[in-house]
Amino acid sequence: MNDLIQKSIEQLPEILRNKISSQWLDFVEAGGHEGLSDVTLEQLVIVWAASPQSAQYCLRYPCLLREWQLGDGSLPALSIDSYKDDCQRLVSDLTDEAQIKKVLRDFRNQEMLRIAWRDIAGLDELNNTLQALSTLAESMLQVALEWLTARHVEKYGHARTSGGDIQNLVVIGMGKLGGRELNFSSDIDLIFAYQEAGETDGTRSLSNEDYFRRLIQDLVSVLNEPTADGFVFRVDTRLRPFGSSGPLAMHFAALEQYYQVHGREWERYAWIKARPVAGDLAAGNTLLKLLQPFIYRRYLDYGAFDAMREMKDLIEQQIKRKRLSHNIKLGAGGIREIEFIVQVFQLIHGGRHPELRSRQLRKVLPALAELGFISDDSVQQLDAAYVFLRKLENRLQAYADQQTHVLPEKDTGHAAIALAMGFPGWHQTVAAIDAHRLHVHDQFDRVFAAPQTRTCDGDPQTELMALWQETLPEETAEALLQDEGFSEPDSILELLSKFRDGIRYRADGEQSHRRLNRCVIMLIAAASGTENPDIVLERLLRVLRAIAGRSNYVALLVENPMALSQLVRLCAASPWITEQIVQSPMLLDSLLDARQLYSPPLKHALQEELQSFVSQAAENDIEQKMNLLRRFKQTSVLRVAAADVSDVMPLMVVSDRLTDIAEVVVEHALKEAWAQTIDRHGQPLLPNGNVAGFLVIAYGKFGGIELGYSSDLDLVFVHDGQSECLSDGQRPVSHEAFFTRLGQRIIHWLNTYTPAGRAYEVDMRLRPSGQSGLLVTSFDALENYQHEKAWVWEHQALVRARAICGSSVLKDRFNRLRHQILVKPRDEQTLRRDVIEMREKMRTALEKKIPRQFDLKQGVGGIADIEFIVQYNALRWASKYPKLIQYSDNIRILEALGSNKIWTVEQTETISEVYRKYRSHKHRLALQELPAHIPDELYIDEREQVALCWKRELNISTEK
């Protein structure tokens, strides 16, 4: 015996030595040992010990190792790119099925030896092994299909579409084949299809259905039928519509109809990995696009949790019945649980997040961490477990080429698998397996375990359910609610009764009713833990009433305790937020990730997010785009409000974010309106060939970066077109008409009510000449108006004006014009008088006097007084200190008064702090849907400070 072989065998566990020694002698007798390198010989002992089946293949094809061995002695390099070509050459001249069956089986056995060798010898990573197995399967599938198709065409002619085009069979690989994750003894799950009904064009014409049925039967036989040489791949066609009783192939329209009408959750699960693997690949991709709405739904479908949990329960029952606890695929913490974890998130979120649509599990895992659905640590543990268990699965199956996932029971198997996995013994192997499975099952429980309601005395599920279903005596029910912290239990019982009557017919099916009942008792328990449980439960039930007919949203709350707790927190904080969710239940999607919910994105991220939102709409579907724009705005504002009420975001940042949202929405409205207008009328070209510009200017709170939750948008539109010029489209209009229509479309995009509500209320009254002026003004006219006709109050408004989107040329011109107007020297007495008169007019018109209440906006010493003080000082001092009007927001203008020594630092800080207090309180009132009125005893010192500042700055005593 070769000394190297002898030494290698002696290093094996004793229980494996005799078998390898005997096989080696047989191999030498067959001449297989000749010319093999030391590297190959060392690998041979390990591979044969770990996989007796590989040893059998070497004995069956004794010259194979020598043929594969490379010049440097290494063996054997994978050739997955040439699988199809190599196989095609072998079958090209064959004429009968018996021949092709033998050739395919020999080719398969040899390539299985190659893949197993490299896997066990540690020459390939798991992904390479799985890809090689998958590519081998689809290559042989394609070769067999092409060979059989040629013979069927000779008999029956080509299958034709209604238009006369030739159509070929479409073969969709499901499961591990579709995901390029095939293992050593996997079945290949296939679904067959063809494009259209019709018939073949041969002399023995068949219907397309009959033609493809015969072709598929022959294909399955060639691949699946056991012979003396084994089989190619076991083929399973039971995933097709209607299972084993359904037709072997269906045309596309029939498939689409089936999945729309009869498609079940487990079929969505199966189609996640679907991939065209043979036949007409282009048509296969067309079919996948047709079925994508079935697989990946646009809305969040938390009902998938129930479906996946039921599937898992069935598997667990099977495990107990068949005693499969040692099954590394189906047992607790096994491969299937990792697949369930990943694929449930794909089903729920794949419609919204394309990065989750990969067919390969290991590509989806990091995306789940990036999106915040699973922690980084959990993803790393799941990935490590998946790699380990899939390697173990391959080693179990390579041991004897059997389709098994069960750990061996005999010592020989223990020794072989431990060796294959690189462990010194079986105990260490089992310890590693158990550790990985424990991590997996722990994560599985976290994802799939049914959420429990908070406990009270006794069983919370039983007691609260009995209360909800009115099976408790009234006194007992009231006592239970009182114990839970509700102050008016009789009113709560009445509230629940009315709610029950109102939604009695809103949930369809037993499962939906069960889920809705469960949601109600979870909300009762959750509300009881808040400061005002009676009020909070009423708000929560309003939300539940709005979603009762949408099982996916009810499932979201039942299946995601974090989402439910976020909802409770927001409803407890604000009836305004509650109303937003009631009006647009899709905002519930935002409750999933607390990191995103309480950390609203910056402007550039908002722009990207909006683009992602509107990309869901068809190019010409204006209504859907408008709905998506409104949903984006509502979602974005909800995140700001969530951060605000949670005290994780200061006032100034709240206004900044609300202003960013408005800017992004207006920019998008301009983009869409511009595209619509030029599509109808062409470009508004100037005589020099340039396109005339358009600019959107923000005034008021929008311009001053001080938007609140319910603020409207004060806008002014200007252009630099020329009245004598026309647009260059097929329906040309004057520039004036072009920009007027553009302005109207922008307002339509923002102001119009759709099923998703309204984006913003737009106020155009600050344009030149107000409501009597043109909707869109030429820049020359604006410039002339501001210099010659504008009132002082209009220059006050200009202090808070900003160009927000449109032509960069016009933006520069506007900034220069604003500067020119605001730095004009002004007569101090005249300015003071005009500002005082305007403030009194405003107070008279807008202040709402309520006994023992202070109008936070219009009252003496309130917000408007501070704004007028700021504007007065800006107009008074800008000619000497132009940096005063560099910014449009009040706080930075106040800071500039201090930095330019116009005010003392103390004066600046005092008024700035009062202004922040006022605005913060106003924000909170808006979230509570309350008017900007406060008890008269609040902010007395602050109001006095503002009033003294007013008198000092406007010199009231002198005027009077």
Side-chain angles (χ1 to χ4, degrees), residues 453-483:
T453 57
R454 188 184 58 76
T455 60
C456 53
D457 293 338
D459 181 353
Q461 298 279 352
T462 303
E463 291 186 337
L464 289 178
M465 186 63 75
L467 180 145
W468 161 241
Q469 294 181 333
E470 296 184 299
T471 58
L472 287 181
E474 186 172 339
E475 289 184 3
T476 304
E478 289 186 5
L480 175 60
L481 287 171
Q482 198 159 19
D483 289 344

Side-chain angles (χ1 to χ4, degrees), residues 244-289:
S244 300
S245 62
L248 278 173
M250 295 172 68
H251 58 77
F252 287 8
L255 277 171
E256 188 176 18
Q257 174 71 9
Y258 168 83
Y259 287 113
Q260 284 179 352
V261 176
H262 303 288
R264 289 160 288 178
E265 288 297 326
W266 71 261
E267 288 175 300
R268 290 179 62 210
Y269 171 83
W271 275 90
I272 284 176
K273 289 184 178 292
R275 178 173 62 90
V277 293
D280 190 337
L281 300 182
N285 285 317
T286 299
L287 176 61
L288 288 185
K289 288 181 181 177

Side-chain angles (χ1 to χ4, degrees), residues 681-839:
H681 300 297
Q683 298 271 18
L685 297 180
L686 296 168
N688 62 7
N690 293 333
V691 178
F694 181 86
L695 185 67
V696 180
I697 304 167
Y699 279 76
K701 290 185 176 64
F702 192 14
I705 319 177
E706 296 175 347
L707 280 183
Y709 293 105
S710 302
S711 297
D712 56 11
L713 303 185
D714 292 303
L715 300 179
V716 170
F717 301 147
V718 295
H719 69 88
D720 63 357
Q722 296 184 9
S723 57
E724 67 275 10
C725 293
L726 299 177
S727 60
D728 66 352
Q730 293 183 350
R731 302 179 65 180
V733 293
S734 69
H735 283 188
E736 185 177 282
F738 177 94
F739 287 113
T740 297
R741 293 177 188 183
L742 173 63
Q744 290 169 338
R745 282 195 170 96
I746 293 171
I747 294 171
H748 177 75
W749 270 86
L750 298 172
N751 210 45
T752 302
Y753 277 101
T754 74
R758 178 167 64 179
Y760 288 98
E761 184 176 352
V762 177
D763 190 336
M764 300 293 296
R765 289 176 296 176
L766 288 176
R767 65 187 185 270
S769 302
Q771 289 179 309
S772 63
L774 296 173
L775 181 67
V776 185
T777 307
S778 73
F779 196 89
D780 290 342
L782 173 69
E783 195 167 35
N784 179 66
Y785 183 86
Q786 286 291 346
H787 279 294
E788 304 297 335
K789 300 178 182 178
W791 295 80
V792 169
W793 69 264
E794 290 176 293
H795 288 173
Q796 286 180 244
L798 198 61
V799 171
R800 296 213 290 174
R802 273 185 317 124
I804 57 168
C805 59
S807 164
S808 58
V809 173
L810 282 182
K811 184 175 182 179
D812 290 341
R813 285 185 67 185
F814 174 75
N815 288 339
R816 287 195 299 271
L817 172 62
R818 177 177 177 272
H819 182 84
Q820 291 168 5
I821 297 299
L822 296 183
V823 300
K824 278 185 175 183
R826 286 176 167 79
D827 178 73
E828 186 178 333
Q829 292 295 105
T830 303
L831 175 63
R832 184 183 297 114
R833 184 183 63 249
D834 289 344
V835 170
I836 292 171
E837 286 178 359
M838 178 51 64
R839 178 68 192 102

Side-chain angles (χ1 to χ4, degrees), residues 154-168:
E154 288 177 7
K155 283 185 183 180
Y156 309 115
H158 291 285
R160 299 279 180 175
T161 66
S162 58
D165 295 329
I166 294 173
Q167 58 178 320
N168 291 306

Side-chain angles (χ1 to χ4, degrees), residues 98-162:
Q99 291 176 317
I100 192 173
K101 284 181 178 179
K102 176 167 178 53
V103 167
L104 290 178
R105 281 154 180 75
D106 282 340
F107 184 75
R108 178 261 184 195
N109 293 339
Q110 292 171 20
E111 292 306 320
M112 281 294 191
L113 171 61
R114 183 198 301 267
I115 296 168
W117 189 292
R118 288 188 64 85
D119 178 48
I120 295 168
L123 301 177
D124 281 318
E125 297 292 332
L126 174 67
N127 286 352
N128 300 105
T129 302
L130 301 183
Q131 184 179 358
L133 290 164
S134 303
T135 306
L136 175 63
E138 62 188 273
S139 298
M140 299 187 73
L141 181 59
Q142 181 65 31
V143 167
L145 178 59
E146 289 175 359
W147 191 90
L148 289 167
T149 298
R151 279 137 192 85
H152 279 68
V153 168
E154 288 177 7
K155 283 185 183 180
Y156 309 115
H158 291 285
R160 299 279 180 175
T161 66
S162 58

